[in-house]
């Protein structure tokens, strides 16, 4: 890929849908592949510091990372808050690898924990290089990933509003999903799901295309009286359709901070299918605890649902084809922190379940094979260290080829003269002050974005990194 393509400014038009492309790189065939570090970088400080004391919470770190649809670019969310874009070179798998440098920076007005890139992003099509962001007390913005160099702080292309009618205040967007084919996107907030049409921003319609309350009424004292699921919708996951021509995908799985999961048919009936609490399975059966759902991830086959909770010692696996009972759990994953630690899934070999890749608070990544093939507890197949235990691994993102993995790490810790206890919380509102000895200072000991090759010794290092770009064949 050329530098000219990466720095080109997108035209300000609503996104179009190009033809789908097929990858050239095939998944590796080794059950226990070796991992080699290809490239890494630290989080740049893009905002002015509020205090000269290095032990302060203004030091930024990487919170999450995800690949674009074509697999050529990494989008990272930092605590600055901002979104940094890294366009990876086509020779990434050929040593020596060049250093990672951000191609563009999108500053955010307020902190956020969610963003969604265009589901048909292509580095060779500037009209697809957009993403949705949702910040506190602001509308949802559709912004270019590569802003024009002449005006990097240009206004967003479009805005979408989710407002509480009684107070006319912006509802906090706590989860955001922009699925293929990209005509609509879904948001989650307190006791509510909303479906938006991407082609009809605020100037055409002030309200969402569809709203689905998760409880019957928010005005009654009982708040649903046991019907539905009450709470802030903190996670959204859409069931894959395995190539079927279905608008927007299958069942939507929504998770809440109150430890509930709801299944919704958004695109057909616009109503709830079922909802259930994960607390009995996590606390009583698996005994891995939890403090609220941060991620609902479907298996590649669409049969199983992996529920990721913060403050948990494992991951829950549900079989949604029957009575939505707990199938098993993935133990040995230390996520006992309030920080969001995301996971990723990948198809297994020879139809033997699927793989789960997840980071821990101790600076490691654990990998599970054959998930969905056995009941009860499943232990990690293997694990490796991303850092020396200095910070939590906030995200693991598997490339669609299966031969490249991206990880990002970083967390706040309490810098105290008498104690070195860890306090990695991405939702804490405590601010440190130099002139207040009663309040602890926050320090970031380690933050990094790393790209790993899987089974590089099996010839992967000699391949050219061309996930969905370059000379590839188009589907008819």
């Amino acid at each position: 890929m050329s530098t000219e393509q990466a720095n080109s400014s997108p035209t300000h038009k609503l996104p179009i849908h190009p033809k789908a492309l097929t990858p050239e790189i095939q998944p590796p065939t080794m059950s226990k592949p070796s991992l080699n570090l290809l490239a890494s970088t630290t989080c740049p400080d893009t905002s002015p510091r509020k205090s000269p004391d290095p032990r302060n919470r203004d030091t930024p770190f990487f919170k999450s990372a995800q690949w674009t649809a074509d697999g050529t670019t990494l989008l990272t969310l930092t605590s600055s808050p901002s979104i940094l874009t890294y366009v990876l070179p086509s020779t990434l798998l050929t040593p020596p690898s060049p250093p990672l440098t951000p191609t563009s920076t999108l500053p955010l007005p307020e902190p956020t924990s969610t963003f969604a890139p265009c589901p048909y992003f292509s580095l060779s099509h500037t009209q697809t290089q957009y993403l949705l962001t949702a910040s506190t007390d602001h509308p949802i913005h559709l912004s270019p990933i590569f802003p024009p160099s002449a005006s990097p702080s240009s206004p967003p292309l479009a805005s979408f509003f989710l407002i509480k009618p009684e107070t006319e205040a912006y509802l906090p967007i706590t989860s955001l999903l922009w699925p293929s084919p990209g005509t609509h996107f879904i948001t989650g907030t307190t006791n509510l799901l909303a479906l938006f049409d991407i082609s009809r921003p605020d100037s055409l319609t002030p309200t969402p295309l569809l709203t689905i309350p998760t409880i019957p009424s928010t005005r009654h004292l009982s708040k649903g009286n046991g019907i539905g699921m009450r709470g802030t919708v903190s996670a959204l996951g859409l069931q894959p359709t395995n190539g079927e021509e279905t608008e927007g995908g299958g069942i939507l799985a929504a998770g809440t901070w109150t430890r509930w999961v709801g299944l919704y048919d958004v695109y057909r009936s616009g109503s709830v299918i079922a909802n259930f609490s994960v607390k009995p399975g996590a606390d009583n059966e698996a005994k891995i605890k939890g403090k609220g759902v941060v991620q609902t991830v479907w298996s590649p086959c669409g049969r199983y649902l992996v529920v990721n909770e913060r403050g948990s010692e494992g991951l829950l696996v549900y079989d949604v084809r029957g009575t939505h009972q707990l199938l098993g759990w993935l133990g040995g994953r230390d996520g006992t922190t309030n920080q969001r630690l995301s996971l990723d899934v990948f198809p297994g070999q020879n139809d033997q379940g699927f793989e789960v890749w997840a980071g821990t608070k101790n600076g490691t990544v654990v990998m599970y094979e054959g998930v969905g093939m056995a009941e009860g507890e499943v232990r990690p197949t293997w694990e490796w260290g991303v850092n020396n235990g200095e910070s939590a691994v906030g995200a693991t993102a598997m490339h669609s080829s299966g031969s490249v993995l991206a990880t990002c790490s970083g967390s706040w810790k309490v810098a105290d003269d008498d104690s070195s206890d860890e306090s990695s919380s991405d939702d804490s509102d405590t601010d440190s002050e130099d002139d207040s000895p009663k309040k602890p200072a926050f320090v970031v000991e380690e933050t990094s974005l790393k790209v790993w090759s899987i089974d590089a010794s099996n010839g992967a290092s000699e391949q050219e990194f061309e996930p969905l770009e370059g000379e590839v064949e188009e589907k008819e």
Side-chain angles (χ1 to χ4, degrees):
M1 65 189 73
S2 64
T3 307
E4 181 180 358
Q5 287 178 335
N7 296 330
S8 60
S9 301
T11 57
H12 282 262
K13 298 179 181 179
L14 287 176
I16 62 174
H17 199 308
K19 291 184 178 180
L21 301 177
T22 55
E24 286 188 342
I25 298 179
Q26 299 299 323
T29 57
M30 301 294 290
S31 59
K32 289 187 178 182
S34 59
L35 279 89
N36 290 338
L37 181 62
L38 296 176
S40 65
T41 185
T42 58
C43 185
D45 195 347
T46 58
S47 59
R49 303 179 67 86
K50 299 179 182 179
S51 170
D53 188 351
R55 303 188 315 162
N56 66 75
R57 190 170 169 168
D58 300 325
T59 304
F61 64 89
F62 289 109
K63 296 173 62 177
S64 65
Q66 57 180 296
W67 293 95
T68 55
D70 63 348
T72 62
T73 307
L74 273 171
L75 300 177
T76 62
L77 177 64
T78 72
S79 60
S80 301
S82 62
I83 294 177
L84 302 180
T85 304
Y86 293 85
V87 178
L88 301 183
S90 59
T91 58
L92 179 68
L93 298 181
T94 304
S97 300
L100 292 177
T101 56
T103 308
S104 66
T105 301
L106 178 63
L108 301 176
E110 296 289 341
T112 183
S113 58
T114 181
F115 69 95
C118 181
Y120 46 90
F121 175 96
S122 175
L123 199 61
S124 59
H125 295 82
T126 57
Q127 64 269 36
T128 67
Q129 298 167 0
Y130 296 94
L131 80 164
L132 291 167
T133 59
S135 301
T136 307
D137 295 329
H138 285 78
I140 304 166
H141 288 158
L142 178 66
S143 303
I145 294 179
F146 305 108
S149 57
S151 55
S153 59
S154 58
L157 175 63
S159 300
F160 303 86
F161 294 91
L162 189 59
I163 297 176
K164 187 175 183 179
E166 295 83 359
T167 61
E168 297 185 354
Y170 291 112
L171 291 175
I173 306 299
T174 50
S175 52
L176 182 62
L177 181 66
W178 191 0
S180 180
T183 56
H184 300 81
F185 67 91
I186 308 169
T187 64
T189 183
T190 305
N191 302 322
L192 186 69
L193 296 172
L195 176 69
F196 289 86
D197 188 341
I198 195 69
S199 64
R200 299 182 64 84
D202 58 313
S203 59
L204 300 177
T205 176
T207 58
L209 187 65
L210 173 70
T211 57
I212 305 177
T214 60
I215 55 176
S217 175
T218 59
R219 295 186 176 183
H220 195 274
L221 293 178
S222 60
K223 301 291 186 182
N225 196 22
I227 302 176
M229 61 174 190
R230 176 189 175 187
T232 300
V233 180
S234 53
L236 294 174
L238 197 61
Q239 181 185 35
T241 56
N242 298 324
E244 298 179 4
E245 295 296 331
T246 305
E247 173 67 20
I251 301 172
L252 176 71
T256 67
W257 287 133
T258 55
R259 309 185 69 187
W260 279 76
V261 171
L263 305 179
Y264 294 85
D265 188 355
V266 176
Y267 292 94
R268 299 173 186 83
S269 63
S271 60
V272 62
I273 299 175
N275 50 63
F276 54 92
S277 174
V278 301
K279 183 177 180 180
D283 294 355
N284 301 332
E285 188 172 353
K287 301 185 184 304
I288 59 175
K289 301 175 289 186
K291 296 181 180 180
V293 180
V294 297
Q295 213 178 0
T296 52
V297 182
W298 292 89
S299 63
C301 63
R303 298 177 180 177
Y304 308 102
L305 181 67
V306 181
V307 178
N308 179 16
E309 284 195 276
R310 63 177 179 179
S312 176
E313 298 176 354
L315 305 166
L316 301 174
V317 182
Y318 287 87
D319 188 344
V320 297
R321 295 172 296 174
T323 58
H324 316 301
Q325 296 297 318
L326 181 66
L327 174 68
W329 60 93
L330 310 181
R333 188 257 184 152
D334 189 357
T336 53
T337 172
N338 288 332
Q339 184 173 342
R340 292 173 179 261
L341 306 180
S342 64
L343 61 89
D344 205 354
V345 298
F346 194 77
Q349 303 177 22
N350 302 321
D351 296 328
Q352 296 298 313
F354 61 100
E355 301 173 0
V356 174
W357 302 69
T360 72
K361 78 166 188 176
N362 301 318
T364 64
V365 171
V366 292
M367 181 267 193
Y368 302 85
E369 283 186 323
V371 180
M373 303 300 294
E375 298 181 357
E377 184 181 16
V378 176
R379 303 296 297 181
T381 305
W382 55 279
E383 66 177 312
W384 88 97
V386 174
N387 52 59
N388 295 324
E390 298 171 314
S391 62
V393 179
T396 55
M398 174 64 72
H399 190 266
S400 58
S401 66
S403 49
V404 176
L405 181 75
T407 62
C408 71
S409 59
S411 57
W412 282 306
K413 293 184 179 180
V414 176
D416 195 289
D417 295 336
D418 299 329
S419 173
S420 60
D421 292 339
E422 182 175 323
S423 176
S424 11
S425 172
D426 130 82
D427 301 307
S428 174
D429 296 327
T430 306
D431 293 325
S432 61
E433 298 179 3
D434 299 335
D435 56 352
S436 178
K438 295 182 180 179
K439 293 185 178 181
F442 290 89
V443 61
V444 178
E445 294 184 354
E446 189 274 345
T447 177
S448 63
L449 172 67
K450 297 182 178 180
V451 181
W452 310 77
S453 66
I454 302 178
D455 197 17
S457 61
N458 196 26
S461 59
E462 300 177 358
Q463 301 181 31
E464 188 172 356
F465 186 68
E466 294 181 349
L468 292 176
E469 292 294 322
E471 300 296 327
V472 294
E473 298 179 358
E474 294 184 4
K475 288 184 178 181
E476 294 294 331

